[in-house]
Amino acid sequence: PLYGMIYCRLKQNLLEDVESQLEFLTDLESSGKTAFHTFLEAMLIFRRDKNIEEAVEQLNQCLKLHIAEAKKVPIGFEFYIKLNSAFLLELSQEYLQHCHPSTRYTNPDSMPIYIIKGTTLLETLTRQTPGIIEAHMLLAKAKWISNDSTAAHNALNTCITMAPDQIEPYILSAQLYREEGNLSAAYSSLENALAENFLVREHPYFMYSKAQVEMDRKDYQQAYTTLEAAFEIPAVKNKITDPKSRAVLKFGGEEMAKLYVMMVEVCEYLKRPDDAKKYMQKAISEFVGTPYEVMIMFAHSGLALKAGDIKKALNMLKKVPLDSQYFKDAIMKMADIYLNHLMDRRHYAKCYIEIVKVKESAEHYRLA
């Protein structure tokens, strides 16, 4: 019961309570920490300190303790009770939460340990208990991030075969096909989702994906219609996000910001500058002070550049902080402006030198 109470406190983000209760629990457990105790500590470390490395070390220890306990009984009914598939699924989610969905790892040597561990755990889980659709979905997402599209598609096909009425596999499949440049297959996946469940149009991630595909197909009028409908979905209109949702495809602040950015771009393509400015102003007020403000800055600088205000475009990009995941993109965009709009080779070169100064790597030296 105490484990469950601490877990609920973590989900409620009551971290001070959790810390004191875990200390109390440590005093009680004279025989050493259990796997679930270690798991709770890993959750606390990341949520309190944002220390990914230490949190992952705790997760590794948790997995080691849990597997050792399961191996004490022979394969059979008791073994699967000890294995506790629901717990292993949660453990894999905790590993994979550190992956940014837009990141792709083309080089296996640069793959972070949390992706390797999370993926390996899901591969084991889907072999031992193949009926858990959520595990196959997470595996597909992990393989997608790992740049293994074949394995990702296989996992999604398994999901669709097992539960054709589930819409998330179709949406993730569309995302995969879109990234591969197969827009026809991407659109077909979304149509299959719609055929299975007409109410999928109330799913923010479905509308978000549909608009992306329509933009790639240069069907800007249809994309505009889709985005207009997306902004009317209650979860989007009322800014409702559910951090406790067990959905694999979570529609959160980042996706919300991308909706605005897409709408601004669509309005530009449709020669609707007033609408573009209107949505941009809404986005600026909506995301000021949030982690997604940088995405809006990017779009704002693009809008200024198209209006011929180069100085404003550069000033917006200069505001992107060093610790932002978009910092490198901002510097590269500035370099492009210096070279192609201002014909300034000196500042163009300085931009790439700045990237190397921030983080030395083979990739960054190649850019410079």
Side-chain angles (χ1 to χ4, degrees), residues 1-2 18 45 55 65 120 136 140 150 156 158 167 173 184-185 196-197 199 208 236 245 255 278 299 346 349:
L2 190 54
V18 170
I45 287 166
L65 289 168
T120 304
H136 289 284
T150 301
L156 289 171
T158 300
I167 60 173
S173 183
S184 176
E196 287 295 336
N197 187 343
L199 293 176
Y208 165 73
V236 177
S245 170
E255 289 72 28
K278 179 185 77 174
R346 187 172 67 86

Side-chain angles (χ1 to χ4, degrees), residues 6-214:
I6 296 171
Y7 177 80
C8 290
R9 291 283 190 271
L10 273 165
K11 290 295 184 180
Q12 294 171 313
N13 210 36
L14 300 173
L15 303 184
E16 287 185 12
D17 275 3
V18 170
E19 193 169 1
S20 61
Q21 286 168 3
L22 280 174
E23 286 173 3
F24 173 68
L25 201 56
T26 301
D27 295 335
L28 290 179
E29 292 175 336
S30 55
S31 59
K33 294 177 184 177
T34 64
F36 201 72
H37 185 147
T38 313
F39 177 69
L40 294 172
E41 285 189 338
M43 292 179 72
L44 174 63
I45 287 166
F46 177 65
R47 285 152 182 78
R48 181 192 61 200
D49 307 327
K50 303 301 178 189
N51 189 329
I52 295 177
E53 188 176 340
E54 192 179 340
V56 169
E57 282 180 15
Q58 286 292 101
L59 291 175
N60 292 344
Q61 182 64 19
C62 165
L63 181 59
K64 185 179 177 181
L65 289 168
H66 185 74
I67 296 301
E69 194 66 28
K71 283 182 175 178
K72 289 180 181 177
V73 296
I75 298 292
F77 187 69
E78 184 66 24
F79 170 78
Y80 286 103
I81 292 174
K82 286 279 188 184
L83 190 65
N84 194 345
S85 298
F87 176 61
L88 290 180
L89 180 62
E90 185 122 17
L91 183 54
S92 66
Q93 288 174 320
E94 198 68 20
Y95 273 120
L96 295 174
Q97 71 168 320
H98 304 304
C99 309
H100 192 273
S102 64
T103 303
R104 300 291 172 267
Y105 293 96
T106 55
N107 181 3
D109 295 333
S110 67
M111 199 91 69
I113 187 65
Y114 47 80
I115 295 182
I116 296 169
K117 287 282 189 179
T119 303
T120 304
L121 180 54
L122 286 166
E123 287 172 337
T124 303
L125 183 57
T126 51
R127 278 197 307 271
Q128 294 290 345
T129 49
I132 304 176
I133 293 173
E134 192 176 356
H136 289 284
M137 272 293 294
L138 273 172
L139 181 58
K141 194 173 180 182
K143 291 293 186 182
W144 181 26
I145 291 168
S146 304
N147 209 41
D148 187 350
S149 60
T150 301
H153 280 301
N154 289 340
L156 289 171
N157 288 337
T158 300
C159 292
I160 292 168
T161 301
M162 289 169 61
D165 59 332
Q166 294 285 320
I167 60 173
E168 275 200 321
Y170 294 108
I171 298 172
L172 185 53
S173 183
Q175 289 278 325
L176 269 165
Y177 281 127
R178 174 181 171 263
E179 197 167 280
E180 293 166 356
N182 191 342
L183 299 181
S184 176
Y187 209 76
S188 178
S189 291
L190 294 172
E191 287 180 330
N192 288 337
L194 187 59
E196 287 295 336
N197 187 343
F198 196 66
L199 293 176
V200 73
R201 291 184 299 181
E202 292 297 307
H203 193 301
Y205 214 104
F206 172 82
M207 299 298 277
Y208 165 73
S209 300
K210 186 171 181 284
Q212 284 182 317
V213 174
E214 286 162 350

